[in-house]
């Protein structure tokens, strides 16, 4: 009897384990990584009230508040600050196990002259793209500038920096820094259009990517064509509002985690909303944001935002909801985990109080897509394709303008192709009872049930059913599930007069040419047409499915 009881118990345990094994797949956990990055300039020629001492005291205050909450981070030094004894003393005193010292890659006068080159700037630091950035120098001159910085950094700190970041760094410089000095991480500015004269548009929207050897803004598709240094996207961009900010103007505004902005990183309501979405909404692979601020804004301007953010970040870290790391640590983790740029996502299921907007960003090494839900309607407001063979002029050539531009290959661009009263994008429509309508729905549900893919289920209210969207690194698939057959489709609209890249629209693909490169957007399932009446193109499903292949744009 005793043996039977033992045998029965074992069987029960086995059946229980078996039942657990066959449960529905659960969400794959995704780490939430925060880098606190503060970059340091010696001087600020744009405002006489911002003295070198004001800038230095700003960094002192940043160190104090980070230490107060036991938060480590990364300080990046522009060359003129690197050679200043006060910064050397301050930063050498920081514990190496929680603080990282690296390079901020803007080019000031002392660095240029020590490299044996002529300074062309208006001030000892000049922020123009052809003066204060490596893009303003020939490849061989860039090597000299890098060698000067690295030699002096090692002389001061005893090692070479592992992280080098800037608003933008050309691929020639990044590759040289990697091959000769073995940097492990970089960072560049968020997507922006015209802000401060710098345009970075259509790239891998957040998290990090491995850049092409001929274009630092373009994710590479193959190991042999990538620089093995992950580039993290800076500044904590608002995933809903930043994209449309300044619609119809030449310069975007800024809505980011930067603590100086009154709506953004300096506003407690916005900060709490952003970090709640960052930590709790679905993120494929991992989620990432950068906190911190350049000292040029001064402590008085950033103090409120810092004092809102730092205790909140410390609490989220203590609750194991985020990992606060140095840029170097994040770069090493990324390189160990990913051999090529991974698929990732950033979603918002609930907007800031008073708004019903929701969004999903999906990125891979082949493309990015953004979907926005507003007042119960869906608009695909952005699709850009990535191609490692698309060159950047700055890889080998010298910038001749005070501004610079970095682009990828546009298919849908709801910012550049829009005006305030003419919003561009792909809108989901149907013909019901003989009348064309925008399909209405409830709240989209985001999930990541398998590695490398994202699923969106959008319940419809116009009809009984749902739109089911699946995205992996190469394809986008959409199907409409309903109890009756529907005539549904996407219409693409733009502002009147928008300059579009399309050269021809065929039934199965849209051919385009942008910045001298020809490419195609291909429908494996679905039919493109040109219905006229203000519609640029219409996309209708085949067998109730729309399926795009984004992996071969040429």
């Amino acid at each position: 009897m005793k043996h039977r009881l033992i045998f029965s118990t074992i069987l029960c345990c086995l059946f229980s384990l078996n039942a657990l094994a066959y449960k529905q797949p659960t969400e794959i956990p995704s780490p939430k990584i925060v880098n606190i990055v503060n970059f340091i300039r010696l001087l600020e020629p744009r405002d006489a009230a911002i003295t070198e001492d004001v800038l230095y005291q700003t960094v002192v205050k940043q160190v104090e508040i980070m230490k107060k909450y036991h938060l480590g981070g990364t300080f990046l030094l522009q060359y003129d600050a690197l050679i200043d004894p006060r910064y050397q003393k301050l930063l050498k005193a920081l514990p190496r196990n929680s603080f990282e010292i690296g390079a901020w890659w803007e080019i000031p006068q002392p660095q240029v002259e020590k490299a044996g080159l002529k300074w062309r700037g208006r001030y000892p630091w000049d922020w123009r793209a052809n003066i204060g950035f490596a893009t303003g120098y020939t490849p061989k001159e860039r090597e000299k500038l890098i060698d000067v910085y690295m030699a002096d950094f090692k002389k001061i700190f005893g090692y070479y920096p592992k992280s080098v970041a800037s608003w933008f760094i050309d691929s020639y410089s990044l590759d040289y820094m990697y091959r000769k000095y073995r940097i492990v991480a970089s960072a560049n500015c968020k997507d922006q259009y015209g802000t401060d004269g710098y345009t970075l548009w259509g790239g891998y929207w957040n998290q990090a990517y491995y850049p092409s050897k001929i274009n630092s803004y373009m994710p590479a598709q193959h190991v042999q064509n990538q620089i093995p240094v992950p580039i993290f996207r800076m500044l904590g961009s608002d995933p809903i509002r930043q994209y449309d900010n300044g619609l119809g103007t030449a310069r975007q505004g800024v809505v980011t985690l930067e603590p100086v902005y009154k709506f953004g990183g300096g506003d407690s309501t916005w900060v709490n909303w952003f970090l709640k979405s960052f930590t709790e909404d679905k993120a494929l692979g991992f989620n990432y944001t950068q906190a911190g601020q350049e000292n040029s804004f001064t402590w008085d301007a950033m103090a409120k935002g810092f004092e809102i953010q730092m205790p909140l970040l410390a609490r989220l870290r203590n609750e194991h909801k985020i990992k606060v790391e140095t840029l170097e640590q994040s770069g090493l983790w990324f390189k160990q985990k990913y051999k090529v740029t991974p698929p990732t996502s950033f979603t918002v299921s609930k907007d800031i109080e008073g708004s019903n907007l929701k969004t999903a960003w999906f990125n891979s090494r082949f493309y990015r897509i953004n979907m926005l839900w507003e007042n119960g309607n869906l608009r695909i407001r952005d699709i850009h394709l990535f191609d490692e063979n698309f060159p950047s002029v700055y890889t080998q050539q010298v910038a001749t303008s005070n501004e610079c531009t970095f682009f990828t290959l546009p298919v849908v661009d709801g910012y550049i192709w829009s005006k305030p009263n003419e919003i561009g994008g792909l809108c989901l429509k149907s013909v019901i009872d003989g009348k064309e309508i925008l399909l209405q729905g409830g709240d989209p549900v985001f999930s990541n049930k398998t590695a490398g893919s994202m699923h969106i289920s959008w319940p419809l209210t116009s009809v009984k059913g749902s739109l089911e969207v699946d995205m992996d690194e190469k394809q986008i698939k959409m199907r409409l599930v309903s109890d009756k057959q529907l005539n549904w489709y996407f219409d693409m609209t733009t502002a009147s007069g928008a300059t579009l890249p399309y050269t021809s629209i065929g039934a199965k693909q849209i051919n385009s040419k942008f910045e001298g490169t020809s490419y195609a957007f291909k429908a494996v399932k679905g039919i493109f047409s040109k219905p006229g009446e203000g519609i640029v193109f219409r996309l209708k499903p085949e067998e109730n499915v729309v399926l795009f292949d984004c992996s071969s744009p040429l």
Side-chain angles (χ1 to χ4, degrees):
M1 187 70 181
K2 182 178 180 183
H3 292 297
R4 286 183 184 175
L5 182 61
I6 293 171
F7 183 68
S8 298
T9 304
I10 292 171
L11 278 177
C12 287
C13 290
L14 287 172
F15 280 122
S16 298
L17 289 170
N18 198 43
L20 285 172
Y22 283 95
K23 275 188 172 181
Q24 288 293 319
T26 56
E27 290 289 332
I28 298 169
S30 56
K32 312 298 192 296
I33 298 171
V34 177
N35 293 157
I36 303 173
V37 179
N38 302 299
F39 48 97
I40 303 171
R41 301 187 181 106
L42 177 70
L43 48 85
E44 178 47 81
R46 293 170 289 190
D47 187 342
I50 304 176
T51 64
E52 291 184 18
D53 190 59
V54 167
L55 294 175
Y56 173 75
Q57 292 302 326
T58 296
V59 181
V60 170
K61 290 292 188 181
Q62 289 173 331
V63 169
E64 286 178 1
I65 196 167
M66 291 171 72
K67 282 185 170 181
K68 177 181 177 181
Y69 293 103
H70 307 288
L71 291 166
T74 298
F75 285 92
L76 302 177
L77 288 158
Q78 194 167 285
Y79 182 81
D80 50 7
L82 169 70
I83 59 175
D84 184 273
R86 290 196 298 178
Y87 288 111
Q88 295 172 15
K89 182 179 179 181
L90 175 68
L91 299 180
K92 279 182 177 181
L94 298 177
R96 285 280 301 276
N97 62 347
S98 54
F99 286 93
E100 174 194 12
I101 314 303
W104 181 251
W105 208 246
E106 291 177 4
I107 313 297
Q109 184 174 357
Q111 184 179 1
V112 170
E113 293 179 343
K114 188 161 186 180
L117 307 175
K118 182 180 179 180
W119 178 245
R120 296 173 280 115
R122 300 163 295 174
Y123 317 102
W125 167 64
D126 192 326
W127 52 92
R128 293 182 296 181
N130 59 332
I131 303 292
F133 293 87
T135 48
Y137 302 85
T138 67
K140 287 301 177 186
E141 289 173 338
R142 295 172 206 174
E143 290 183 10
K144 292 179 181 179
L145 293 167
I146 292 165
D147 290 341
V148 162
Y149 188 101
M150 294 296 185
D152 283 353
F153 190 101
K154 187 172 184 181
K155 188 186 302 180
I156 293 161
F157 291 103
Y159 56 90
Y160 293 126
K162 295 298 183 184
S163 298
V164 182
S166 181
W167 298 132
F168 48 91
I169 305 177
D170 63 280
S171 56
Y172 187 95
S173 295
L174 276 176
D175 190 51
Y176 183 77
M177 291 174 188
Y178 168 72
R179 286 185 291 104
K180 187 167 183 178
Y181 297 103
R182 288 313 199 211
I183 67 168
V184 301
S186 187
N188 64 9
C189 186
K190 71 182 192 314
D191 254 36
Q192 63 178 33
Y193 194 87
T195 311
D196 297 325
Y198 316 139
T199 291
L200 297 90
W201 194 253
Y204 194 99
W205 184 79
N206 196 56
Q207 284 93 328
Y209 66 95
Y210 289 118
S212 160
K213 288 181 178 179
I214 61 170
N215 189 338
S216 60
Y217 189 61
M218 181 71 73
Q221 286 74 59
H222 302 93
V223 170
Q224 65 270 26
N225 294 324
Q226 70 187 18
I227 301 171
V229 176
I231 298 180
F232 292 82
R233 303 307 304 271
M234 296 179 69
L235 307 180
S237 192
D238 185 316
I240 288 177
R241 276 160 288 273
Q242 177 61 51
Y243 186 87
D244 289 327
N245 198 295
L247 206 65
T249 67
R251 298 283 187 273
Q252 268 196 325
V254 179
V255 190
T256 68
L257 191 59
E258 294 171 271
V260 296
Y261 291 109
K262 291 181 179 178
F263 181 74
D267 177 78
S268 60
T269 300
W270 187 94
V271 170
N272 278 276
W273 162 77
F274 177 83
L275 290 174
K276 181 178 175 63
S277 182
F278 175 77
T279 55
E280 297 181 8
D281 278 325
K282 298 294 186 255
L284 177 65
F286 72 103
N287 215 350
Y288 173 82
T289 197
Q290 177 251 320
Q293 188 78 67
E294 62 205 274
N295 64 337
S296 293
F297 278 106
T298 76
W299 182 248
D300 285 348
M302 72 181 74
K304 179 185 175 184
F306 250 87
E307 288 160 359
I308 291 167
Q309 292 182 27
M310 294 303 119
L312 180 53
L313 292 175
R315 177 173 66 78
L316 292 170
R317 175 206 56 199
N318 295 342
E319 294 172 353
H320 306 290
K321 292 182 177 179
I322 64 171
K323 297 167 68 176
V324 179
E325 298 181 336
T326 64
L327 187 53
E328 176 190 3
Q329 288 170 333
S330 297
L332 290 169
W333 170 82
F334 188 95
K335 285 166 67 72
Q336 183 178 25
K337 186 171 180 62
Y338 301 114
K339 299 306 178 189
V340 293
T341 298
T344 63
S345 67
F346 194 128
T347 63
V348 176
S349 61
K350 182 175 174 51
D351 196 10
I352 202 164
E353 195 67 33
S355 169
N356 64 3
L357 298 174
K358 298 164 183 65
T359 198
W361 285 93
F362 181 90
N363 309 276
S364 80
R365 57 190 163 128
F366 295 101
Y367 71 98
R368 82 175 193 184
I369 183 172
N370 176 243
M371 300 181 180
L372 182 74
W373 287 265
E374 182 176 15
N375 299 321
N377 300 132
L378 166 64
R379 176 166 59 101
I380 299 175
R381 61 176 175 175
D382 190 278
I383 301 175
H384 279 74
L385 302 180
F386 302 148
D387 177 16
E388 62 196 12
N389 297 308
F390 179 67
S392 167
V393 66
Y394 307 119
T395 299
Q396 293 291 336
Q397 297 181 36
V398 175
T400 57
S401 166
N402 63 330
E403 299 189 357
C404 72
T405 56
F406 292 86
F407 292 107
T408 61
L409 302 174
V411 174
V412 176
D413 195 318
Y415 177 75
I416 297 178
W417 303 346
S418 294
K419 294 177 182 176
N421 298 318
E422 296 179 280
I423 305 300
L426 282 166
C427 293
L428 182 60
K429 298 179 178 180
S430 181
V431 175
I432 298 177
D433 298 329
K435 183 180 178 182
E436 181 183 77
I437 64 166
L438 286 170
L439 280 177
Q440 294 272 326
D443 293 340
V445 178
F446 310 118
S447 58
N448 308 311
K449 295 290 176 64
T450 60
S453 67
M454 177 185 180
H455 180 74
I456 302 173
S457 181
W458 183 39
L460 299 175
T461 55
S462 301
V463 294
K464 187 176 180 181
S466 64
L467 180 73
E468 304 294 324
V469 183
D470 288 284
M471 292 163 286
D472 62 27
E473 70 171 0
K474 294 183 178 182
Q475 295 187 329
I476 306 166
K477 180 181 179 181
M478 292 179 275
R479 61 191 178 95
L480 201 146
V481 178
S482 178
D483 59 353
K484 62 179 180 179
Q485 189 171 359
L486 283 179
N487 176 16
W488 63 277
Y489 46 88
F490 284 94
D491 274 350
M492 176 69 190
T493 59
T494 66
S496 55
T499 302
L500 306 179
Y502 312 141
T503 56
S504 66
I505 297 173
K508 299 302 291 182
Q509 71 179 42
I510 297 175
N511 296 310
S512 301
K513 190 170 186 179
F514 181 76
E515 301 276 307
T517 293
S518 297
Y519 59 101
F521 185 57
K522 303 171 184 178
V524 179
K525 284 195 173 182
I527 302 294
F528 295 110
S529 64
K530 295 189 290 182
E533 297 180 4
I535 307 301
V536 178
F537 67 80
R538 175 167 291 170
L539 173 64
K540 301 194 75 169
E542 288 183 294
E543 300 172 354
N544 202 43
V545 170
V546 168
L547 177 62
F548 302 126
D549 176 11
C550 300
S551 65
S552 54
L554 296 184

